[in-house]
Amino acid sequence: MDVPELLSNILFLIGSVFFLAGTIGLLRFPDVYTRLHALAKVDNLGLGFTVLGLLIQAPGVLPALKLILIWLLALLASATANFLIAQRAFNRGIVPWDASESEK
Amino acid sequence: MLPGTDRMPDVIPWLILVPLVWASLAFLRGPGRGGRLALAGLAVQTGLAVKLAMQISISGVQSHAVGGWGAPLGIDLYADGLSAILLLLTQVVVLLLVVYARAYFIAHPEGVSYFWPLTGYLLAAMNALFLSADIFNIYVTLELLGLTAVGLVAARGGTESVGAAMRYLLAGLMGSGLFLLGVALVYGTYGTVSIAVLAPLIEAEAPSAVFVAVGAMLVGLLLKTALFPFHFWLPPAHGEAPAPVSALLSALVVKASFYLILRLWLQPFAPLVTTAAAQLLGLLGMAAILWGSAMALSQTRLKMLIAYSTVAQIGYLFLLFPLVTVTSQEAAESALQGGVMQVVTHALAKAAMFAAAGTVILSLGRDDIGGLGGVASRLPVSIFAFALGGITLAGLPPSGGFIAKWLLIDGALNSGQWGWVVVMISGGLLSAAYVCRVLRRAFLPMEAGARFNSPARALEWSAFTLALMSLLLGVRSAEVLILLGIR
Amino acid sequence: MNLNEALPLLVLGSSLVPGLIIFFLAETRFRLRTALNLAGAIIKLLLIGYMIWGVMDNQSYHFRHTVLPGLDLALKADALAILFVSLSGALWLLTTLYAIGYLEDSPHRSRFFGFFSLCVTATVGIAMAANLFTFFFFYELLTLSTYPLIVHRGTDVAIRGGNTYLAYTLTGSAVLLTGVVWLYDLLGQVDFTYGGTVASLGSEYDGQLKIIFVLLIAGLGVKAAIVPLHGWLPQAMVAPAPVSALLHAVAVVKAGAFGIVRVVYEVYGAEFSESLGVLPPLAVAAAVTIVWGSLRAIWQDNLKRRLAYSTISQISYIILGTAMLGLISTVGGVVHLVHQGIMKITLFFCAGNYAETLGVHKISGMNGAGRRMPLTSAAFSIAALGMMGAPLTAGYVSKSYLSEGAQQANIIWAEWVLTASGVLNAIYFLPILYRLWFKSQPPAWPRKHIQARGGKETAWLLLIPPLVTAAATLAAGIFSESNWSPLFWVKIIAVREYSP
Amino acid sequence: MSVLALDLLLVTALLWSGLQSLVSRNLFRSIVLFIVFGLFMALAWVRLDAPDLALTETIIGAGITGALLLNGVGQWHAKQRNKLK
Amino acid sequence: MILGAILWRSVLLAMLWCILAEGNVGSWGVGAISTALALAASLAVLPVGAIRFSPLGLVFFLIYFISKSFRAGVRVALLAVQPRLDIHPGIETVSLRLPNGVGRVILINTINLLPGTLVLGLNASTLQLHVLDMRSSIEGEIRIAEKRIAKMLGLSLDQS
Amino acid sequence: MSELALILAIFLLANLLVALLRVTRRPTPADRMLAALLFGTTGVALLLLLAYAEDAPVLVDIALTLALLGAVIGVAFVQRGWNQEREEENGRS
Amino acid sequence: MSTALLFPLTGAALFVMGVAGLLLQPHLLRKIIAFNIMGSGIFLILVGLGQRGGSPDPVSQAMVLTGIVVSVAATGLALALARRLLDLTGKMQLPVPGEDAARDGPDA
């Protein structure tokens, strides 16, 4: 196993860890808004690491640029959707979870 | 260059292209437009179908590879006697129905919508279906046929028609889904979908997947053909549609899937079919005859009566299967001829009956059988057409239906299956009974204060021509059956 | 196609073509319609005359069209066909005349005459059918073309009668069809030939042949109104008088009887039928029908109903004659085919005259009608006497041949039946004659439909036909031994049937 | 071995999302799950060496069909709301 | 000026196609059509002259963005996997200085990827945020993001 | 060696499944919409890993489509689908 | 169990689920979903069986491609009809013949 391959495998692993964290957050967080936080931030980072890992192995410049494009696109998509969902939920009157409230 | 001339001997693709072209033109011209295009297109198509029939009777089976590619990737088209008969039948019936529909939609402009383009696409799908040489292509044409037919049923737009169309669509999707499942399993087993290649591969000791496949295809097609327990969608769909559409559906569209059952039963899957399956189909056919006739007898609306009559007549077609399965060559041949004659004559007669009923309803402004009094004297030609259609359904001479019944009974006696003779005879009597139910009302005097509009002559005479053709087929059926012999 | 082939088609066409044209004529084209009708009828008679001449000259007239391989539509004019064709041709002309007078003002005349012509076409087709398939073809066409005639009036009663008629006849023809197809399946083409074709099959088919025989006779028996298949006939008498006349004398019931004659002699063959043992049951059925029809006739007060039951009884004379093996009984049976036709049509014409002129439908209302309508009543009396078998009438000829035939065949009970039937005939006809001639007229007749013109008792178109047929009844009886009588012709046929 | 595990997981996902989209009592959830199902189908096509199909499935199966269904359910909900008013 | 902008966009889009097609020469026919269509679409959505795009600003923004989003990811991930759920979410309202348009869209997307913030809604001059941890100040972060975006697009911030 | 990528792909798939299971079980429709987000990121990562593991660059294109679609579906969800009755929306997790 | 049969078997299961849904679900949108799942099941069988030899099979893939397009057309038509029914009756269910169209169904 050569160095680039090892490196990309490590990056894949890191990405997966983020994905796992995102999933855990999704399972544990108490309301829509907090779950959105988990999804938007953690999973995108996981994807970023995966793309990074692939970039190392990319056969050329153009394929590499394409990978980056995919990442940006995914980012954009998730940010937009995030905003729309949150806005809609808020407009519809879903009250955010409050730590102090739940402790009572 | 005109298609059908000597410079273009290959008429097969044109039979699919011509309706596609005029349908698209009609579509571009917008709703309600395109009657004239349809008429011209059908005239050409009829010519093509005649030409094809002649080519087949002279030089045997015709085939054509689309785009010059052969199987497995290309699409093969193929026409034998049976396809030629059905193609010819389709073009002729639709030609007359087009004449009818043009007059009908003048009187009924709100129902026309996209009738013309949809009819064109339907014809293209149907012609392609009759010409397909592989079962996957058949699936595609079957599905397209179903979708266009649903579009035609829904065109009127009321709750009943849209509901009926929806029911029809779901039944059709279910049916074609089952058919496609069969295609998938057959392909998985033999690695081909071409009927010609499959035929020698299939043997009686096929893997069980093939039996499942054949079963699924059969059930799917039965659903589309509306054989007895699967008939639930047919009466609303055929009864609610505008008269030209009802005629088109009852006369031709259900026949398309019946044609497939027959073709697959006889050609590639013959080694697999069992007497028990054939008897079961026969029994279902019998049930359809009894149930359809009973329902027809109890209907209060004219078009529903005719629609239930279609249910019964479809049952009649299925009596064919016990007679062609594991019987003597002679009996099978006779029964097959009878079955095909029944298909042809029923198509002509049913188109005539729906067309005549449409004229009657248009003139009276009502659809109940109780209000038919006086029609016999006001619309003699239409009632005559209806009665002639009824004669064909009942299988009485001199109609083509009589020849069909004769041949079927001959096949049944020849194979020693007396029971089916009784069923066929009773089926004819039951048809006579419900046709008579309409006629007796028509002969009664007109109700006081009833409204009456004189219909266009084209409405009456196109129906009459259809009925007359079904009648005259009785003395000129030899030609049809010679064509059928070419396989 | 030479003339000999075309002639059977022309005979058919002479009524078919006018019929089809008439369908599409406007109601008001009275003259054209009449001209077409009469021209067709006269042309038909001329063609028939030419054919009779040719048949005597040993010409043969055949037409054949192959519908399917092994299934021909074939027509021929043999002696038996000529007998029936001439009967229908002649009576069609008379009935048409009568119908023109009868229906002068009623609606839907185009429809009526169209179907009337179709009906005659079918009858002629039945007569000339050269094989069972063709026979069946026209037999059904007859059913279909008579239905609109029966329901012509459009009243509830008429339509109910028509439906009963259709239910019976269609069921009958379904049974018949089964037998026909079965026979075709065994034999291939079943042509009518002297002496029959079935015998060639061999004895292992006897069982099947018996069943087929039963199917065929049951199918034909419906139209021939053999008890218990006769239920439709009394109901169908609601049709207009010309229709009843045609139905009872020529078309429907005769078609059934004619079919039985063809089946027994020319499909099965007289000897083979006898050896198969199927004739005695047929004879018994005929006998039962004769007696039962006569008995029921006695209790009817409606004149047309009584005549209808009389028809049921009389038709079975033909069948009885056919079912008894022997030359003489055959002659008696077949000649009755003609004689009964002439007599019964006279009776119905007269019944129509009473109804249309005086409004009398019931026998109890016929008191003194003989003095009001002497010519009609005279014709009626002649025909009624003929029915009873009085000497000098056509009925006497057929009945004497029948009883002689029964003696020859050594069937004693048949003689008793014939005698008993004669007595019963007298019981139901003589009271009518008595009322006609010897009771006094009522102060007023129920209503007057048809104005008598020129001092005649009724319209001349209604009067001529019964007088002609009554004269024919007498002529056939008095000149029975002449070369032109039906009897002479029937004797030729019978000889051929027994020595193929 | 891991290929089999992937396939098994994928199959489970397919069956689960398919079943859930059919039996779910909430219509909107059904449609969400149907789109999810379509995406799993795309993955299945990938596993079956049919990238063309995967592409088609994502665009047509999940995309267009999903959008059409969402449109339908949107109208349905609007109708339900009008009815409640 | 306009022509220049169009040229720039064409080149960018063509490059995009090049990336998508991975330099495949055979697909240039389709690529030309797609590029033309995309150009038309971009002109319709974003008229020429609405923004003055600064490439250097983009580089700075990207660096800023990636580093922030990395931190955000790590932080939320840590929050998620901590044994005790230590979050104190709440809603905060922040004033907004970017003008309407592309800038705001980018800002919102950026905020969504910043640590612990999520946009709930916006109107003319304020932004409603959902904050994962109310204990830390959030306004400063927003101000920085606004500044970077303004610089990248050549927009001026509303100094109210 | 691409074995690790494959295993990670399985791992991501499992992650995705678990997350979807949970998300679609939540009572509020807003939660269900997270499914689109999940696919937009996890699905893309999964496809990219598969492309690497199976050495099939075509899958990269599919990932691209999926990313694009994630945005479209997300918008469609919010615009069209999410119109549930009020009582459903008051629930929290 | 071999991988070769895994997808066809899944396809079969999906098919059965789809058929059941198509038959049993009253709501039209669900029926449409069920139809699509049924179709996907068949496609899986088709491709899965088509490449049992191991190598991808272009013929079966071409067929499925056609099939997908056809089923989208069908779905579109079905949805159009369903929406028309919704407009007409206020429900997304098959109207029961003879029943008052305005009556609220169980899904109301």
Side-chain angles (χ1 to χ4, degrees):
Chain A
M1 188 180 280
D2 51 11
V3 178
E5 202 175 320
L6 189 69
L7 202 59
S8 55
N9 278 349
I10 291 169
L11 286 169
F12 288 162
L13 272 174
I14 297 171
S16 303
V17 168
F18 275 103
F19 276 114
L20 180 65
T23 309
I24 293 171
L26 200 64
L27 297 181
R28 287 185 67 196
F29 284 172
D31 73 345
V32 177
Y33 305 103
T34 46
R35 283 195 280 274
L36 273 172
H37 280 285
L39 265 181
K41 280 131 206 156
V42 186
D43 277 14
N44 279 328
L45 202 58
L47 180 60
F49 276 107
T50 312
V51 169
L52 208 57
L54 287 168
L55 279 178
I56 294 170
Q57 300 275 327
V61 181
L62 287 175
L65 283 173
K66 193 168 174 178
L67 286 171
I68 293 173
L69 196 67
I70 289 174
W71 181 57
L72 285 175
L73 212 58
L75 222 58
L76 185 71
S78 87
T80 315
N82 236 317
F83 165 59
L84 285 170
I85 293 169
Q87 184 192 36
R88 196 77 178 229
F90 189 62
N91 286 348
R92 302 211 134 229
I94 299 181
V95 185
W97 177 85
D98 192 336
S100 52
E101 237 175 73
S102 68
E103 276 158 12
K104 280 173 201 167
Chain B
M1 180 164 57
L2 273 175
T5 57
D6 283 330
R7 288 174 61 197
M8 189 165 297
D10 216 356
V11 300
I12 289 178
W14 290 101
L15 271 168
I16 303 167
L17 286 176
V18 171
L20 269 184
V21 168
W22 67 253
S24 303
L25 288 176
F27 182 75
L28 291 177
R29 295 195 59 195
R33 310 297 299 273
R36 233 172 274 157
L37 276 169
L39 199 59
L42 271 156
V44 175
Q45 281 162 243
T46 311
L48 289 172
V50 170
K51 171 95 180 165
L52 179 67
M54 277 160 59
Q55 280 181 354
I56 286 176
S57 59
I58 293 164
S59 48
V61 170
Q62 306 278 311
S63 61
H64 175 91
V66 174
W69 296 27
L73 266 177
I75 296 169
D76 274 347
L77 298 177
Y78 162 98
D80 62 4
L82 182 57
S83 1
I85 291 172
L86 282 157
L87 283 168
L88 200 54
L89 172 74
T90 305
Q91 317 308 320
V92 169
V93 170
V94 181
L95 178 64
L96 284 162
L97 284 179
V98 163
V99 174
Y100 177 82
R102 288 189 56 187
Y104 184 90
F105 285 125
I106 287 171
H108 233 300
E110 77 281 2
V112 58
S113 181
Y114 281 102
F115 174 81
W116 297 110
L118 280 172
T119 305
Y121 291 129
L122 181 122
L123 266 179
M126 192 133 68
N127 288 354
L129 185 144
F130 291 137
L131 290 165
S132 289
D134 73 69
I135 51 179
F136 182 74
N137 207 11
I138 284 175
Y139 158 74
V140 176
T141 53
L142 194 64
E143 191 82 294
L144 294 180
L145 181 65
L147 296 185
T148 44
V150 168
L152 283 172
V153 172
R156 192 184 268 175
T159 307
E160 280 82 17
S161 8
V162 178
M166 192 76 216
R167 208 176 286 274
Y168 182 22
L169 175 66
L170 291 173
L173 290 180
M174 182 94 199
S176 44
L178 280 164
F179 186 83
L180 184 61
L181 177 70
V183 174
L185 291 173
V186 166
Y187 182 77
T189 311
Y190 297 108
T192 180
V193 286
S194 154
I195 292 178
V197 181
L198 276 174
L201 289 176
I202 296 178
E203 283 163 0
E205 296 90 33
S208 54
V210 178
F211 281 97
V212 175
V214 173
M217 289 167 97
L218 184 62
V219 173
L221 290 173
L222 290 183
L223 194 55
K224 287 218 148 206
T225 317
L227 181 61
F228 167 60
F230 307 122
H231 67 282
F232 56 91
W233 58 267
L234 187 142
H238 291 197
E240 295 298 345
V245 175
S246 313
L248 200 61
L249 296 184
S250 253
L252 299 171
V253 175
V254 288
K255 301 292 162 38
S257 41
F258 176 77
Y259 159 86
L260 290 180
I261 300 178
L262 191 60
R263 162 134 280 168
L264 296 176
W265 187 281
L266 294 175
Q267 261 181 346
F269 297 139
L272 303 178
V273 296
T274 58
T275 320
Q279 295 289 331
L280 178 67
L281 281 189
L283 284 174
L284 290 180
M286 181 177 88
I289 292 175
L290 296 177
W291 175 256
S293 307
M295 291 304 286
L297 280 170
S298 65
Q299 292 304 307
T300 51
R301 292 174 49 208
L302 183 55
K303 277 177 72 184
M304 287 306 266
L305 182 143
I306 309 176
Y308 272 107
S309 141
T310 302
V311 172
Q313 293 293 320
I314 286 167
Y316 215 98
L317 295 176
F318 279 88
L319 298 183
L320 171 62
F321 291 98
L323 309 183
V324 294
T325 311
V326 202
T327 50
S328 70
Q329 182 73 32
E330 204 183 330
E333 191 58 29
S334 172
L336 179 63
Q337 293 179 340
V340 172
M341 277 302 287
Q342 181 72 18
V343 168
V344 173
T345 53
H346 175 252
L348 291 164
K350 196 41 77 60
M353 288 170 86
F354 262 123
T359 313
V360 168
I361 294 164
L362 216 54
S363 306
L364 295 181
R366 55 196 285 190
D367 186 16
D368 56 323
I369 297 168
L372 285 178
V375 170
S377 47
R378 295 297 190 97
L379 297 169
V381 179
S382 288
I383 284 300
F384 211 38
F386 189 89
L388 291 185
I391 287 171
T392 299
L393 292 196
L396 298 175
S399 72
F402 168 60
I403 299 294
K405 191 153 94 175
W406 178 286
L407 288 164
L408 281 169
I409 293 178
D410 190 41
L413 289 170
N414 210 319
S415 57
Q417 307 186 59
W418 317 106
W420 299 123
V421 179
V422 178
V423 176
M424 287 166 198
I425 298 266
S426 338
L429 289 178
L430 286 168
S431 337
Y434 56 71
V435 170
C436 200
R437 227 187 116 221
V438 175
L439 291 182
R440 62 173 285 191
R441 304 301 302 194
F443 276 108
L444 285 178
M446 193 151 191
E447 276 176 33
R451 222 156 50 76
F452 184 85
N453 311 311
S454 289
R457 293 171 81 97
L459 284 173
E460 293 215 90
W461 287 98
S462 51
F464 183 76
T465 313
L466 281 166
L468 198 64
M469 284 167 76
S470 80
L471 196 74
L472 293 183
L473 213 58
V475 285
R476 296 230 67 94
S477 38
E479 284 86 344
V480 177
L481 297 180
I482 287 169
L483 204 54
L484 177 64
I486 301 166
R487 250 175 282 155
Chain C
M1 192 188 279
N2 58 31
L3 182 64
N4 282 5
E5 279 180 40
L7 209 54
L9 278 188
L10 289 175
V11 174
L12 275 183
S14 60
S15 51
L16 180 64
V17 174
L20 291 180
I21 298 173
I22 287 169
F23 269 125
F24 300 111
L25 282 185
E27 273 307 298
T28 47
R29 309 287 297 274
F30 170 76
R31 277 166 197 284
L32 180 58
R33 191 168 53 234
T34 308
L36 273 169
N37 264 323
L38 292 180
I42 288 164
I43 290 171
K44 173 162 283 179
L45 274 181
L46 290 175
L47 289 169
I48 293 169
Y50 180 79
M51 279 207 310
I52 294 175
W53 186 59
V55 169
M56 287 173 96
D57 206 24
N58 272 330
Q59 289 274 349
S60 70
Y61 301 104
H62 284 287
F63 168 79
R64 202 167 269 273
H65 164 78
T66 304
V67 177
L68 294 173
L71 207 55
D72 290 350
L73 212 52
L75 297 170
K76 69 169 181 184
D78 62 355
L80 187 57
I82 289 289
L83 184 76
F84 194 22
V85 166
S86 0
L87 178 71
S88 1
L91 294 188
W92 181 38
L93 177 61
L94 290 172
T95 319
T96 304
L97 285 174
Y98 186 82
I100 291 167
Y102 186 89
L103 290 170
E104 237 166 17
D105 301 312
S106 75
H108 312 317
R109 275 164 300 171
S110 283
R111 191 169 88 201
F112 179 87
F113 280 106
F115 282 115
F116 202 71
S117 306
L118 274 189
C119 175
V120 170
T121 311
T123 312
V124 171
I126 288 171
M128 294 195 298
N131 57 28
L132 256 182
F133 171 72
T134 316
F135 179 85
F136 183 77
F137 187 93
F138 286 107
Y139 191 76
E140 285 301 286
L141 194 62
L142 180 65
T143 310
L144 296 175
S145 52
T146 41
Y147 172 74
L149 296 177
I150 294 177
V151 300
H152 181 74
R153 288 203 168 120
T155 57
D156 263 338
V157 186
I159 284 172
R160 223 175 300 130
N163 281 356
T164 315
Y165 171 71
L166 262 196
Y168 270 88
T169 48
L170 287 182
T171 314
S173 49
V175 174
L176 178 61
L177 176 66
T178 316
V180 172
V181 183
W182 196 340
L183 210 50
Y184 266 69
D185 195 42
L186 293 179
L187 281 172
Q189 199 94 254
V190 186
D191 284 335
F192 294 139
T193 32
Y194 295 122
T197 49
V198 170
S200 60
L201 268 179
S203 57
E204 70 268 27
Y205 287 99
D206 280 2
Q208 286 192 42
L209 286 175
K210 277 182 199 165
I211 301 173
I212 296 173
F213 190 84
V214 172
L215 289 174
L216 293 177
I217 297 299
L220 295 165
V222 171
K223 279 217 176 89
I226 297 179
V227 173
L229 310 173
H230 65 287
W232 60 274
L233 190 63
Q235 290 208 39
M237 62 88 213
V238 296
V243 176
S244 304
L246 204 66
L247 241 57
H248 287 243
V250 195
V252 179
V253 288
K254 275 303 157 54
F258 184 77
I260 291 175
V261 171
R262 283 278 200 205
V263 165
V264 171
Y265 291 124
E266 302 196 357
V267 176
Y268 277 69
E271 268 96 12
F272 183 72
S273 314
E274 180 69 18
S275 71
L276 212 53
V278 290
L279 290 184
L282 180 59
V284 171
V288 169
T289 310
I290 291 173
V291 175
W292 199 84
S294 304
L295 277 174
R296 283 301 300 273
I298 297 172
W299 312 111
Q300 307 300 325
D301 189 28
N302 185 311
L303 177 60
K304 279 174 80 179
R305 260 187 111 77
R306 186 174 288 192
L307 293 179
Y309 277 106
S310 156
T311 305
I312 293 172
S313 157
Q314 295 283 336
I315 287 297
S316 275
Y317 278 77
I318 305 169
I319 297 163
L320 184 62
T322 313
M324 294 188 296
L325 187 69
L327 200 62
I328 298 176
S329 67
T330 304
V331 171
V334 176
V335 83
H336 199 57
L337 194 87
V338 178
H339 289 168
Q340 187 269 351
I342 302 171
M343 296 186 292
K344 187 47 64 64
I345 208 165
T346 314
L347 291 172
F348 270 104
F349 283 155
C350 296
N353 283 359
Y354 292 130
E356 291 299 296
T357 315
L358 307 177
V360 169
H361 295 276
K362 297 208 166 154
I363 293 162
S364 50
M366 288 171 77
N367 291 352
R371 257 163 287 169
R372 169 67 182 74
M373 299 179 70
L375 290 173
T376 305
S377 302
F380 188 90
S381 306
I382 291 170
L385 288 169
M387 282 292 178
M388 288 180 266
L392 294 181
T393 62
Y396 175 76
V397 177
S398 16
K399 290 198 180 180
S400 57
Y401 269 88
L402 278 172
S403 43
E404 205 176 315
Q407 272 175 9
Q408 190 201 36
N410 209 10
I411 306 177
I412 309 300
W413 56 263
E415 260 191 283
W416 294 351
V417 167
L418 289 169
T419 317
S421 166
V423 174
L424 289 169
N425 283 351
I427 292 176
Y428 66 78
F429 272 126
L430 282 179
I432 306 177
L433 299 190
Y434 176 75
R435 276 176 194 275
L436 278 177
W437 299 110
F438 300 110
K439 289 257 186 158
S440 53
Q441 287 189 36
W445 297 102
R447 57 192 163 143
K448 251 185 199 173
H449 271 282
I450 293 170
Q451 289 295 323
R453 280 167 220 151
K456 289 193 205 71
E457 57 190 58
T458 186
W460 66 273
L461 273 176
L462 297 186
L463 200 52
I464 303 243
L467 290 178
V468 172
T469 50
T473 308
L474 284 175
I478 295 167
F479 304 109
S480 62
E481 296 302 319
S482 99
N483 280 3
W484 288 97
S485 72
L487 185 66
F488 178 76
W489 199 260
V490 169
K491 280 178 177 166
I492 298 174
I493 297 169
V495 168
R496 288 185 185 166
E497 298 293 1
Y498 280 90
S499 50
Chain D
M1 188 53 222
S2 50
V3 173
L4 182 58
L6 181 66
D7 285 354
L8 276 175
L9 207 56
L10 192 52
V11 160
T12 317
L14 271 175
L15 290 176
W16 171 75
S17 55
L19 190 67
Q20 285 297 308
S21 75
L22 285 178
V23 300
S24 163
R25 290 188 57 196
N26 180 301
L27 191 59
F28 179 68
R29 185 169 118 94
S30 278
I31 289 168
V32 170
L33 279 162
F34 173 69
I35 292 170
V36 167
F37 171 82
L39 296 171
F40 280 128
M41 274 304 288
L43 288 178
W45 292 134
V46 169
R47 283 295 308 130
L48 283 166
D49 289 327
D52 310 6
L53 291 181
L55 210 58
T56 319
E57 185 77 46
T58 26
I59 295 172
I60 291 183
I64 297 182
T65 311
L68 287 173
L69 283 169
L70 281 173
N71 205 7
V73 81
Q75 294 212 338
W76 184 65
H77 282 317
K79 200 86 174 181
Q80 300 303 102
R81 267 205 307 282
N82 287 344
K83 229 185 250 177
L84 284 177
K85 271 174 200 168
Chain E
M1 164 68 200
I2 291 176
L3 215 63
I6 291 175
L7 204 67
W8 260 113
R9 287 188 191 191
S10 310
V11 170
L12 272 175
L13 289 168
M15 269 173 63
L16 193 66
W17 179 260
C18 197
I19 294 170
L20 289 178
E22 295 183 12
N24 190 343
V25 186
S27 68
W28 270 112
V30 187
I33 298 170
S34 313
T35 308
L37 284 175
L39 182 65
S42 84
L43 287 173
V45 173
L46 198 68
V48 175
I51 50 169
R52 289 191 308 280
F53 189 76
S54 141
L56 196 68
L58 174 68
V59 173
F60 279 121
F61 176 74
L62 273 181
I63 292 168
Y64 161 80
F65 177 77
I66 288 170
S67 72
K68 276 291 173 190
S69 93
F70 177 76
R71 270 196 283 164
V74 173
R75 216 182 124 190
V76 180
L78 284 177
L79 276 176
V81 295
Q82 267 172 13
R84 196 176 149 271
L85 200 58
D86 185 25
I87 52 173
H88 299 270
I91 297 174
E92 214 166 278
T93 309
V94 177
S95 65
L96 192 62
R97 291 187 300 169
L98 271 174
N100 246 334
V102 199
R104 281 195 178 187
V105 176
I106 295 179
L107 177 70
I108 288 161
N109 284 349
T110 313
I111 291 172
N112 276 347
L113 296 168
L114 284 178
T117 48
L118 180 69
V119 180
L120 293 179
L122 81 165
N123 39 42
S125 61
T126 56
L127 201 57
Q128 277 175 309
L129 295 175
H130 181 261
V131 184
L132 205 50
D133 195 344
M134 290 291 280
R135 291 167 298 188
S136 64
S137 164
I138 223 72
E139 193 158 356
E141 294 277 354
I142 308 292
R143 294 283 162 263
I144 298 168
E146 268 190 326
K147 215 176 286 170
R148 302 265 173 188
I149 291 166
K151 190 175 270 176
M152 172 174 74
L153 299 176
L155 298 168
S156 61
L157 290 178
D158 192 3
Q159 294 302 327
S160 60
Chain F
M1 223 355 253
S2 57
E3 188 67 14
L4 180 73
L6 196 58
I7 290 168
L8 288 180
I10 299 168
F11 172 71
L12 283 191
L13 187 56
N15 250 320
L16 183 58
L17 246 177
V18 171
L20 280 176
L21 201 74
R22 195 75 195 94
V23 155
T24 54
R25 289 231 171 264
R26 303 271 181 193
T28 75
D31 272 307
R32 279 177 214 128
M33 256 167 297
L34 301 184
L37 278 173
L38 267 169
F39 253 101
T41 45
T42 319
V44 169
L46 180 55
L47 277 169
L48 289 177
L49 282 176
L50 271 178
Y52 176 65
E54 303 216 333
D55 198 19
V58 197
L59 299 188
V60 177
D61 290 329
I62 298 170
L64 184 72
T65 322
L66 195 61
L68 210 61
L69 205 73
V72 175
I73 289 181
V75 174
F77 267 152
V78 175
Q79 295 294 320
R80 269 308 189 175
W82 185 12
N83 284 310
Q84 297 292 88
E85 296 89 308
R86 294 224 159 242
E87 54 266 37
E88 277 199 11
E89 292 170 359
N90 297 330
R92 282 203 248 139
S93 72
Chain G
M1 191 166 96
S2 72
T3 342
L5 270 176
L6 188 60
F7 283 102
L9 285 177
T10 313
L14 287 175
F15 176 81
V16 172
M17 274 157 46
V19 169
L22 197 51
L23 292 178
L24 301 176
Q25 294 279 13
H27 198 285
L28 287 176
L29 286 179
R30 286 175 200 277
K31 276 188 192 288
I32 294 167
I33 292 177
F35 156 70
N36 275 288
I37 288 177
M38 179 185 92
S40 298
I42 302 171
F43 298 151
L44 270 184
I45 296 174
L46 193 53
V47 173
L49 288 181
Q51 53 205 48
R52 245 191 318 186
S55 56
D57 172 37
V59 178
S60 63
Q61 293 185 10
M63 289 198 273
V64 170
L65 210 56
T66 320
I68 289 176
V69 174
V70 169
S71 66
V72 169
T75 307
L77 179 60
L79 277 168
L81 289 181
R83 281 165 60 174
R84 191 92 192 85
L85 271 182
L86 181 69
D87 288 345
L88 289 167
T89 64
K91 293 193 292 184
M92 266 205 184
Q93 285 194 346
L94 284 177
V96 180
E99 189 192 308
D100 180 14
R103 229 191 66 195
D104 283 349
D107 61 335

